[in-house]
Amino acid sequence: MKDGHIEIDSENGKIFGFTSDLFEGYLWKKENDIYISFIISIHEGKGNLRKLFDNILRQGFNVKVPTPFPRMQNILLWLGFNQTFEQEEIGTVEVWYKKAIK
């Protein structure tokens, strides 16, 4: 899988369960990390986000969520994500992460 955008309903998106019947937005792959930069769950509260994260982790990728809104931050805490900070071109960015299941 190449680095860059993972579009919804794409071949790579479908591997993770990232489909237009469940989500809007896009993912971003960088090396062994899948960034959840901007997605919206169409059916909130149905566990689809958790399934997406689990699918990504089971495929051997880390999940990273940069600068989550407070609601997402609460979900990430509940799911066992850890807060860290990464240096990017724009400066220091808050990133929540969970390591791949090996």
Side-chain angles (χ1 to χ4, degrees), residues 16-88:
F16 301 134
F18 188 58
T19 57
S20 59
D21 60 322
L22 302 176
F23 300 100
E24 294 178 5
Y26 66 90
L27 306 175
W28 187 267
K29 181 186 175 295
K30 182 178 176 185
E31 298 173 4
N32 201 47
D33 301 324
I34 303 294
Y35 285 83
I36 314 297
S37 296
F38 177 75
I39 65 169
I40 297 170
S41 179
I42 294 173
H43 309 285
E44 291 184 31
K46 301 290 184 189
N48 295 319
L49 183 62
R50 182 181 187 146
K51 289 176 192 172
L52 175 66
F53 290 164
D54 288 345
N55 290 339
I56 292 169
L57 295 167
R58 282 191 197 105
Q59 291 292 323
F61 294 98
N62 305 312
V63 176
K64 292 190 172 183
V65 183
T67 58
F69 289 120
R71 183 172 178 207
M72 175 65 92
Q73 204 171 72
N74 287 334
I75 293 168
L76 298 173
L77 280 169
W78 186 75
L79 294 175
F81 278 66
N82 296 296
Q83 181 188 43
T84 191
F85 296 89
E86 295 182 1
Q87 285 298 320
E88 297 293 335

Side-chain angles (χ1 to χ4, degrees), residues 81-100:
F81 278 66
N82 296 296
Q83 181 188 43
T84 191
F85 296 89
E86 295 182 1
Q87 285 298 320
E88 297 293 335
E89 293 175 8
I90 61 169
T92 303
V93 177
E94 175 189 22
V95 177
W96 289 70
Y97 74 95
K98 192 165 189 178
K99 291 189 176 190

